Amino acid sequence: MEAKNLEFEVVIGLEVHAQLNTETKLFCRCRTSFGEQANMNVCPVCLGYPGALPVLNEKALVKAALLGLALQGKVNEQSLFERKNYFYPDSPKAYQISQLQYPIVSAGVLPIHLRNKNGEDLYSKEIQIERVQLEEDAGKLMHSERSEVKQSYVDLNRCSTPLLEIVSKPDMRSAAEAVEYFKSLRRLLIYLDISDGNMQDGSMRCDVNVSLRARGQKALGTRTETKNMNTFKGIEEAIQYEIVRQRALLLSGEKVIQETMLFNSNTGKTKPMRSKEEAQDYRYFPDPDLFTVFFSKENLQSLKEAMPELPDAKFHRYKQEFLLSSYDAALMSSSKNLAGYFEHASAEALALFKEAKPAKESSAAGESSAAGESSPAGESSPAGKLQGPLLAKRVCNLISTELLSLLTEVRLEQALFPVPAEAIGSMAAMLEQGLISSKMAKEIFKALSETDKTVEEIVLERGLKLICDEAALEAIVDKVLADHAKVAADFKSGKAKAMGYLIGQAMKASKGQAEPKLLSKIIQDKLKS
Amino acid sequence: MTPMTQNTSSKAKTPSLKMMEHLSKLSRIKLSDEEKQSFLSDLKHILVFVEKINEVDTENVQPLYSPVEAFTPTQKDVAVALNEQSMDHSKIAENAPNFQLGYFVVPRVIEE
Ligand SMILES: [Zn+2]
C-alpha cells in the first residue's frame, strides 16, 4: 500500500553496495570465497599489518568501468583512493580504502519501468546516478545471543573484498520506484557478471535516504538514512514506515532529525542507530600507499566494443522485433540465461518452421496462426514478417507456463534447464504448424523433462499428432452428425449453442487429435449445406 | 581531474579544548586534562607553522597527491595459494591481543 501523500512529495535516493565476484580481494590476492572457516582468507595486507602494501586488483577496476559504461556514465581515466578513517573491530587498519573526490565513475543513468500487478505498463523513468566508486568491504562481527557474553568475535575473511558503491541522485518518488531501481540495478550487475547479486549472503545491500517536502517546493527536506537493507520487501517497508513517520512529524509542526536508522523487519519499523549518534568525522585523505588509478581510453574502448546487449535493450527489442507485451518482454529479458534460452528457442522455431513450410502450404492447417493471419508465409511476404513474432510468442508461452515452474532461481543462474531450448523451439514450430495442440505440448514437455527423449521420439511413441487429413476428419464428423441428428437439427433451426456440443463430440471421437480449426470448419460447412 | 566534492573550508578552525576532546575520541587515545592542555598548545603551534603553506598562491595549481609520478600498479585477479600466504592461525595469534578458536576476540560491540 502506498501511503497517501497529497500534501508532501516523497524524495528517495539509494546507495547500493554490490560485492564484485572477483576471485581475489581488492588490494591483496587472498580469495574472496565465502563459507570457509573463519580467518582463512587473510594475509598481512588485509589484516592491516604495518608495512604491508596494497596492490589494486585489475579485474575489479575493469568491472567498475564496465558498470560505468552500462550506466551510460562518465568513466574517469584517472581516479583516486582515499582513506576513510574510523575505529571499529571489523576493520583492522582502522580505515577503509574508498573513493571520495575522484570516483571511477561520475554521472550515469538507469532507466526503470514501473508495471502494475498484471504486468501492464504504468510508466518509465530515468534515475540519474551520481557516482560509482570502488571500495573495500569490512570484516564480519559475531555476537553471542546471550547478552551476558561480554565479547564479540571477528572474522576477517570478508575484509577488503571489493565492493562497488552506486549512489543515485534523489530521483525516486515512491517505494515502488526505489524497489524497481534496486531490481534493475541488480539485474544489470548479474547480466554483466559484475556481481552474483546474491542478497541473502549480503552480496547486495543498500542504504535508503528518505525525505519529504511540500509539493511544489524545490529545496529538499531533511532526510534520514536507513542502513543495510538486503531484501526487496525490507526496502519497501522501511520506506513506507519512514514516509508515515516523517509525515506525522511534519504535520504536527515538528522537525525531522537527520539521522541514521536501522530497520527491524519483525516490527516493520525504523529506529535511530545508537552507535551513530556521535557526528561522523571520517577525515578522508588520499591513501599514500596507492597512486592515482589510471584506466586508459583504449581499455575503455575495447570494453565498449565487447559490451553485451543489456537487459533494457533486450526488453525493447523483444517488444519491437517479437511484438511481445511489456510483461512478456520483461520476463524473457529478466535474466541473461533465460534471455539466451528464449532467443535460441525462437530462432530454432523459425528455422524449423521455414524448413517445414513448403510441404505445409498445401496442408489444411494453414489457418492456425494465433493472430488470425490467413496463411503463414516466408519473410518476403508482408504476413511473413509476423512469423517470427508468432513463433516467439509461442516460445514465450511455453517458457512461462511450462518451463519457469520447474526452474528455481539457482538453477536459472547456473543455466540448468530441464528441457533444451531446441526442444521448445521445435514444439513452438509444431504448434504454429497446427501439428500438435497445446494440450499435447504440455504432455510432450512433461515427457521431455522426465526422459532423455527428443520431441520427435515422444510424438511418435505416443501418437501425439493432430489429424489434419481432411478426409479422415470428414469421416469422423459424418459419424458424429449421424449419431446426434437431433442436435444437428437444433442447430439448423437456430440454436447456435448446439455447434459447440457437436465440435466437442467430434473432438472426443478423434481422441482429442483433430486439428481444431479444420474440424470446426468441416462441421460448419456440413451443417450449412 | 575535477573533484566531485569540494573541500569547503581551507581555513582551519582555531583549536579548542573541545576539539582536543573530539580528536581524542576519534583516535581512541585517552588524554588527561593536563595532556589535553599540553597537546592543545602543541597543536596551535603546529597549525601556525602549517598556515605558512596557505600563503602560497595555488589558484591554478593541480593538487598533488603523491610525489611519485606514476600510476598505481595493478595485479591480475589470481589467488595466491593458501600455503604461500603462510598466515596460519598460530602466526595470527602471535600478533593479536586475543585470538581464540580461529576468531579475533574483542569487547562486545553490537550495532543497534
Ligand atoms: Zn589478504
Side-chain angles (χ1 to χ4, degrees), chain A residues 23-24 29 39 42 56-58 87-88 101-102 143-144 149-150 152 154 273-274 278 281 286 291-292, chain B residues 1 3-4 22 25-26 28 65 70 72 74-77 79-80 85 89 102 104 106 108-109 111-112:
Chain A
E23 184 181 331
T24 68
R29 302 293 73 81
N39 294 306
V42 290
L56 179 61
N57 183 335
E58 180 187 53
F87 276 105
Y88 206 67
Q101 298 183 74
Y102 307 98
H143 319 282
S144 171
V149 176
K150 295 297 178 219
S152 292
V154 189
M273 255 167 102
R274 265 196 276 146
E278 171 97 19
D281 184 352
F291 310 137
T292 303
Chain B
M1 295 197 287
M4 285 195 69
H22 181 59
K25 206 168 191 173
L26 282 174
R28 298 288 196 279
Y65 293 108
T72 213
T74 57
Q75 260 179 353
K76 291 249 177 272
D77 180 35
V80 172
Q85 277 168 229
H89 282 180
F104 296 91
V106 297
R108 189 178 176 94
V109 279
E111 290 206 335
E112 48 185 1

Side-chain angles (χ1 to χ4, degrees), chain A residues 22-24 29-31 37-44 47 49 55-59 61 78-80 87-89 100-103 106 130-131 141-144 146-147 149-156 262 272-276 278 281 283 286 290-294, chain B residues 1-7 13 21-29 62-82 85-89 91-96 98-112:
Chain A
T22 51
E23 184 181 331
T24 68
R29 302 293 73 81
C30 289
R31 288 188 185 281
Q37 205 189 321
N39 294 306
M40 290 305 282
N41 298 330
V42 290
C43 73
L47 289 177
Y49 284 1
V55 184
L56 179 61
N57 183 335
E58 180 187 53
K59 189 75 132 309
L61 181 61
Q78 295 185 30
S79 61
L80 193 71
F87 276 105
Y88 206 67
L100 182 75
Q101 298 183 74
Y102 307 98
S106 44
E130 170 120 4
R131 57 193 283 136
L141 287 174
M142 264 144 286
H143 319 282
S144 171
R146 310 200 319 272
S147 58
V149 176
K150 295 297 178 219
Q151 290 169 327
S152 292
Y153 303 89
V154 189
D155 172 8
L156 296 177
L262 274 185
M273 255 167 102
R274 265 196 276 146
S275 55
K276 294 280 162 104
E278 171 97 19
D281 184 352
R283 294 148 295 143
L290 293 153
F291 310 137
T292 303
V293 179
F294 185 74
Chain B
M1 295 197 287
T2 28
M4 285 195 69
T5 48
Q6 297 289 340
N7 285 332
K13 287 180 210 149
E21 274 157 10
H22 181 59
L23 286 175
S24 138
K25 206 168 191 173
L26 282 174
S27 48
R28 298 288 196 279
I29 298 173
Q62 285 281 321
L64 179 73
Y65 293 108
S66 166
V68 183
E69 282 199 30
F71 291 117
T72 213
T74 57
Q75 260 179 353
K76 291 249 177 272
D77 180 35
V78 178
V80 172
L82 214 57
Q85 277 168 229
S86 65
M87 281 306 296
D88 62 60
H89 282 180
K91 280 220 172 116
I92 296 176
E94 280 173 30
N95 288 296
N98 192 351
F99 191 80
Q100 288 171 31
L101 302 167
Y103 288 91
F104 296 91
V105 185
V106 297
R108 189 178 176 94
V109 279
I110 193 156
E111 290 206 335
E112 48 185 1

Side-chain angles (χ1 to χ4, degrees), chain A residues 259-276:
Chain A
E259 55 192 346
T260 308
M261 320 287 280
L262 274 185
F263 176 68
N264 181 332
S265 56
N266 295 322
T267 59
K269 290 178 182 175
T270 61
K271 76 172 199 215
M273 255 167 102
R274 265 196 276 146
S275 55
K276 294 280 162 104

Side-chain angles (χ1 to χ4, degrees), chain A residues 210-225:
Chain A
V210 180
S211 66
L212 299 185
R213 66 179 166 195
R215 276 197 189 279
Q217 179 188 310
K218 267 234 167 89
L220 293 171
T222 307
R223 68 185 162 86
T224 60
E225 180 180 20

Side-chain angles (χ1 to χ4, degrees), chain A residues 228-454:
Chain A
N228 270 331
M229 315 286 314
N230 68 345
T231 64
F232 299 133
K233 192 166 166 267
I235 294 170
E236 166 120 33
E237 287 178 0
I239 293 174
Q240 298 296 14
Y241 183 78
E242 269 304 297
I243 293 172
V244 171
R245 190 184 71 84
Q246 293 187 17
R247 181 175 175 274
L249 281 175
L250 294 172
L251 284 178
S252 66
E254 285 176 74
K255 281 194 172 130
V256 174
I257 303 164
Q258 180 166 348
E259 55 192 346
T260 308
M261 320 287 280
L262 274 185
F263 176 68
N264 181 332
S265 56
N266 295 322
T267 59
K269 290 178 182 175
T270 61
K271 76 172 199 215
M273 255 167 102
R274 265 196 276 146
S275 55
K276 294 280 162 104
E277 269 168 22
E278 171 97 19
Q280 294 298 314
D281 184 352
Y282 292 121
R283 294 148 295 143
Y284 281 92
F285 65 89
D287 191 322
D289 288 344
L290 293 153
F291 310 137
T292 303
V293 179
F294 185 74
F295 194 78
S296 73
K297 293 206 163 67
E298 293 73 39
N299 277 344
L300 193 63
Q301 187 55 35
S302 45
L303 263 190
K304 206 180 266 179
E305 281 156 16
M307 179 73 85
E309 190 183 25
L310 298 178
D312 202 57
K314 278 193 191 298
F315 169 76
H316 289 295
R317 181 164 65 83
Y318 292 173
K319 286 178 76 169
Q320 260 178 8
E321 191 178 319
F322 297 134
L323 308 176
L324 290 188
S325 68
S326 283
Y327 178 83
D328 285 342
L331 187 64
M332 293 302 116
S333 62
S334 61
S335 106
K336 191 185 191 173
N337 287 339
L338 190 64
Y341 186 90
F342 164 73
E343 288 178 28
H344 187 161
S346 299
E348 182 74 10
L350 190 60
L352 286 173
F353 187 85
K354 279 184 182 164
E355 216 171 88
K357 194 176 51 95
K360 210 216 108 264
E361 260 174 347
S362 58
S363 107
E367 295 174 61
S368 63
S369 72
E373 280 301 307
S374 58
S375 175
E379 274 177 289
S380 48
S381 78
K385 284 220 160 38
L386 277 174
Q387 211 50 66
L390 291 170
L391 288 162
K393 173 68 183 159
R394 290 198 183 273
V395 168
C396 171
N397 286 348
L398 286 168
I399 290 175
S400 52
T401 58
E402 309 298 334
L403 184 80
L404 287 182
S405 58
L406 295 180
L407 215 50
T408 60
E409 198 168 331
V410 177
R411 295 186 76 82
L412 183 57
E413 260 167 42
Q414 299 168 346
L416 293 172
F417 294 101
V419 170
E422 293 83 2
I424 295 278
S426 155
M427 286 161 70
M430 290 170 82
L431 279 166
E432 188 59 23
Q433 286 165 263
L435 296 176
I436 56 171
S437 66
S438 36
K439 210 177 141 205
M440 289 171 183
K442 245 186 176 25
E443 193 180 335
I444 297 169
F445 187 90
K446 190 160 179 289
L448 279 171
S449 64
E450 289 164 355
T451 66
D452 288 333
K453 296 193 171 113
T454 64

Side-chain angles (χ1 to χ4, degrees), chain A residues 195-206:
Chain A
S195 169
D196 65 18
N198 193 325
M199 294 166 71
Q200 299 97 286
D201 296 347
S203 297
M204 251 192 106
R205 47 193 198 261
C206 76

